Amino acid sequence: MTVGSFTDGTGVEHGFMRTSNGVITPFDIPKASTTTAFDINMSNVIVGTYTDANGAVHGFIRKP
């Protein structure tokens, strides 16, 4: 599995995960203005950052 981020047509950044067979699943942290996925481990736990409505950046852990 691979993870990453993309920016949509309105300029909002979203996270995504891609399986080995090519299925792409976008995701966002609830109430976040941006979501950036950095890495994934062997247990499919994703880590990254998100920006809240006040502009503060936070880390996240997304379990499968």
Side-chain angles (χ1 to χ4, degrees), residues 12-38:
V12 177
E13 189 170 6
H14 308 274
F16 73 86
M17 57 186 165
R18 181 184 182 273
T19 63
S20 58
N21 63 354
V23 175
I24 297 173
T25 304
F27 66 90
D28 294 303
I29 300 302
K31 299 184 181 180
S33 57
T34 65
T35 300
T36 306
F38 292 132

Side-chain angles (χ1 to χ4, degrees), residues 2-57:
T2 302
V3 300
S5 302
F6 68 95
T7 303
D8 69 17
T10 65
V12 177
E13 189 170 6
H14 308 274
F16 73 86
M17 57 186 165
R18 181 184 182 273
T19 63
S20 58
N21 63 354
V23 175
I24 297 173
T25 304
F27 66 90
D28 294 303
I29 300 302
K31 299 184 181 180
S33 57
T34 65
T35 300
T36 306
F38 292 132
D39 206 358
I40 187 168
N41 68 14
M42 297 297 278
S43 298
N44 293 328
V45 176
I46 299 170
V47 297
T49 61
Y50 70 94
T51 305
D52 67 22
N54 296 319
V57 178

